[in-house]
Amino acid sequence: MSETSVLNPNPNISAYYQTRAAHHAVVTSDWLAQAQAAVAGGVSGEVTAAEVEDGCGVEKGGSVIEEFNSWRKQPDLAEAVAAIRALASSWDATSISLTAACDLFMRYVTRTSALEYEDFNSARSRLIERAEKFGEISYKARRIISMLSQDFIFDGCTILVHGFSRVVFEVLKTAAQNKKSFRVFCTEGRPDRTGLRFSNEMAKLDVPVKLLIDSAVAYSMDEVDMVFVGADGVVESGGIINMMGTYQIALVAHSLNKPVYVAAESYKFARLYPLDQKDMAPALRPIDFGVPVPSKVEIEKSARDYTPPQYLTLLFTDLGVLTPSVVSDELIQLYL
């Protein structure tokens, strides 16, 4: 059976509508067991070092467990309190994707009128059942996106990426596995040099890759056929909030008529409507310039920027391939 047929078991119905239907279904799954196995014995399968995006993921999960184990050693502290404190200490309050996913999760698991008429145990089972389904949908999202984007990657193309996005990595990994011939330009991704990590992962896949300093984007854009970026959050306008530098890359690409594609899971759709770059909660990161900086010199430490929808071409999501103008409609459906 082909991979496409697995993702779309009923070819008579669009995969877009099948995925949308899955978001509203209530079925059991083994997702919870997979998650528990991953926590107990490490994530198996295709998860690699590339599964860490913008400081979140497997490495972050290890720190949460260590924090929990540290708190639970206190004799007067209940395990539930230890868990809450561990999560609170590891929570990035400025993470848009985390906040949006939690908000959507709460809406999803409680979106059933049957909870009002069931006894406690039945209601509890229904909530767990819906939580498992939400996790299953989220787990499959990245793979769906990678399949939807393959028709847009052609042999001989050059793709510019910025930062380390797990879903963009999955898109390019799938293209490489499909024997497509392409090369990748990676920006350095200061201040945490995530582009260097991305270029290393591309090299492991034997994909031709070139590492660019961030200021060389305009210089190299004439060699680029398309731009692929991830997103920390997709906002109501259809724009995205992502790693610092995404906005200027989109501006340069737009001026040279290069398509800018965004790969993002639907749980990153956030009910936000920023009007400008400063209309967001600040996300600050330390920056090491390698040399001493005088105390009187002010340093811009913002870690992300906002890219308006007019500079984006398409968004590849687990709900389908969307234009930026459709995002607000999808948000309404997700939060109904």
Side-chain angles (χ1 to χ4, degrees):
M1 182 181 295
S2 68
E3 192 164 18
T4 303
S5 63
V6 172
L7 291 173
N8 188 0
N10 190 346
N12 296 322
I13 303 177
S14 167
Y16 168 82
Y17 288 105
Q18 289 187 53
T19 308
R20 282 286 301 278
H23 274 274
H24 299 276
V26 181
V27 297
T28 57
S29 72
D30 61 348
W31 178 85
L32 187 59
Q34 293 175 2
Q36 291 171 338
V39 172
V43 181
S44 61
E46 299 180 343
V47 181
T48 66
E51 294 295 300
V52 181
E53 175 185 15
D54 298 335
C56 301
V58 176
E59 293 179 352
K60 195 81 168 184
S63 65
V64 174
I65 295 174
E66 292 171 3
E67 188 76 19
F68 170 67
N69 288 332
S70 176
W71 280 109
R72 71 188 300 196
K73 290 178 182 177
Q74 299 188 19
D76 298 330
L77 203 64
E79 285 203 353
V81 178
I84 292 171
R85 290 194 175 183
L87 289 171
S89 64
S90 305
W91 180 284
D92 181 1
T94 66
S95 174
I96 295 173
S97 58
L98 183 59
T99 303
C102 290
D103 191 10
L104 188 60
F105 173 80
M106 290 300 296
R107 297 282 297 182
Y108 185 87
V109 298
T110 59
R111 189 176 53 206
T112 169
S113 59
L115 293 177
E116 300 178 8
Y117 307 104
E118 295 178 328
D119 58 46
F120 176 80
N121 289 331
S122 298
R124 178 177 176 272
S125 298
R126 187 177 293 273
L127 287 175
I128 293 175
E129 189 176 43
R130 292 183 70 83
E132 291 176 0
K133 181 57 183 176
F134 182 89
E136 183 182 7
I137 293 169
S138 302
Y139 182 80
K140 292 179 179 179
R142 200 180 309 156
R143 192 61 186 155
I144 294 172
I145 293 169
S146 68
M147 296 303 296
L148 290 174
S149 60
Q150 292 309 299
D151 289 341
F152 294 81
I153 300 176
F154 53 88
D155 284 330
C157 70
T158 298
I159 303 170
L160 174 66
V161 300
H162 181 57
F164 196 111
S165 165
R166 289 175 290 178
V167 66
V168 172
F169 175 76
E170 186 69 27
V171 166
L172 300 184
K173 177 182 175 182
T174 300
Q177 291 173 340
N178 291 339
K179 307 301 182 183
K180 290 193 176 183
S181 174
F182 62 96
R183 62 175 179 162
V184 177
F185 285 2
C186 295
T187 58
E188 181 186 8
R190 294 273 291 176
D192 50 5
R193 299 185 178 180
T194 50
L196 181 59
R197 289 166 45 211
F198 199 98
S199 64
N200 290 341
E201 293 300 327
M202 288 290 99
K204 292 178 183 178
L205 297 175
D206 293 324
V207 174
V209 59
K210 179 189 286 187
L211 190 63
L212 308 175
I213 58 174
D214 292 336
S215 54
V217 169
Y219 174 82
S220 305
M221 190 61 75
D222 60 342
E223 301 180 58
V224 172
D225 294 296
M226 67 191 74
V227 176
F228 255 102
V229 295
D232 186 29
V234 180
V235 298
E236 291 185 50
S237 64
I240 63 169
I241 298 172
N242 195 41
M243 178 181 176
M244 180 63 71
T246 304
Y247 181 33
Q248 62 192 25
I249 291 174
L251 283 172
V252 173
H254 182 76
S255 67
L256 295 178
N257 295 317
K258 309 289 185 177
V260 179
Y261 299 133
V262 179
E265 302 91 334
S266 61
Y267 59 76
K268 292 183 177 179
F269 284 25
R271 291 183 293 181
L272 299 172
Y273 204 110
L275 300 177
D276 55 38
Q277 298 299 324
K278 304 299 188 293
D279 197 15
M280 301 180 289
L284 307 179
R285 296 291 185 273
I287 300 177
D288 181 12
F289 290 98
V291 294
V293 178
S295 58
K296 294 182 179 180
V297 175
E298 184 180 359
I299 299 175
E300 178 58 68
K301 297 182 180 180
S302 299
R304 63 191 181 202
D305 57 25
Y306 165 61
T307 304
Q310 61 266 33
Y311 302 114
L312 306 176
T313 308
L314 291 172
L315 292 92
F316 297 100
T317 78
D318 48 301
L319 300 179
V321 181
L322 311 177
T323 61
S325 61
V326 177
V327 170
S328 60
D329 293 336
E330 291 302 321
L331 271 167
I332 292 173
Q333 293 297 323
L334 284 173
Y335 285 94
L336 278 179

